[in-house]
Amino acid sequence: KQAITTGGVTYRDQPWHKECFVCTACKKQLSGQRFTSRDEFAYCLSCFCNLYAKKCAGCTNPISGLGGTKYISFEERQWHNDCFNCKKCSLSLVGRGFLTERDDILCPECGKDI
């Protein structure tokens, strides 16, 4: 609530000291950094991904979707493109047909006996 004399930041039409404009979760300064928001609250990308991003069924890391990151979505699960591989032979299944066996995804060749 103090006057801004230098180095201010404007976010949602409100002025902030750059030292006061911080991530809602970790309190890291956001001035000059990439950030995003949810429900009017600003977050650094790391906190946003950890709190809100869907998790990859292959590697369990967040799928940010930022920067053009591509991912596969099937039923209730998502995978990074690089993680969408046959459980048995590791063949990439991006753009190919696949079969499911419980939580596993299989190429047609590996899944022919299920």
Side-chain angles (χ1 to χ4, degrees):
K1 304 282 184 206
Q2 298 176 3
I4 299 172
T5 56
T6 61
V9 175
T10 300
Y11 174 68
R12 298 203 182 257
D13 295 325
Q14 296 293 317
W16 296 76
H17 292 107
K18 69 177 186 176
E19 298 82 13
C20 297
F21 187 59
V22 297
C23 174
T24 301
C26 72
K27 308 304 181 208
K28 180 173 91 173
Q29 282 190 25
L30 297 176
S31 178
Q33 306 296 316
R34 291 183 63 193
F35 69 93
T36 191
S37 64
R38 182 171 176 141
D39 302 325
E40 305 292 319
F41 296 102
Y43 294 92
C44 69
L45 297 184
S46 178
C47 287
F48 182 83
C49 285
N50 288 331
L51 292 168
Y52 300 112
K54 295 179 184 299
K55 306 294 190 261
C56 176
C59 69
T60 70
N61 289 323
I63 299 173
S64 70
L66 301 168
T69 302
K70 296 186 184 223
Y71 65 96
I72 307 296
S73 183
F74 176 72
E75 294 178 345
E76 299 296 319
R77 298 181 290 168
Q78 293 79 31
W79 294 263
H80 296 105
N81 271 15
D82 292 343
C83 298
F84 193 64
N85 302 318
C86 176
K87 179 69 172 183
K88 290 185 180 179
C89 73
S90 299
L91 177 73
S92 173
L93 298 174
V94 175
R96 300 173 179 246
F98 62 94
L99 302 165
T100 60
E101 181 180 33
R102 294 179 302 280
D103 289 338
D104 296 334
I105 53 172
L106 304 169
C107 69
E109 181 64 27
C110 292
K112 67 183 178 186
D113 296 328
I114 59 170

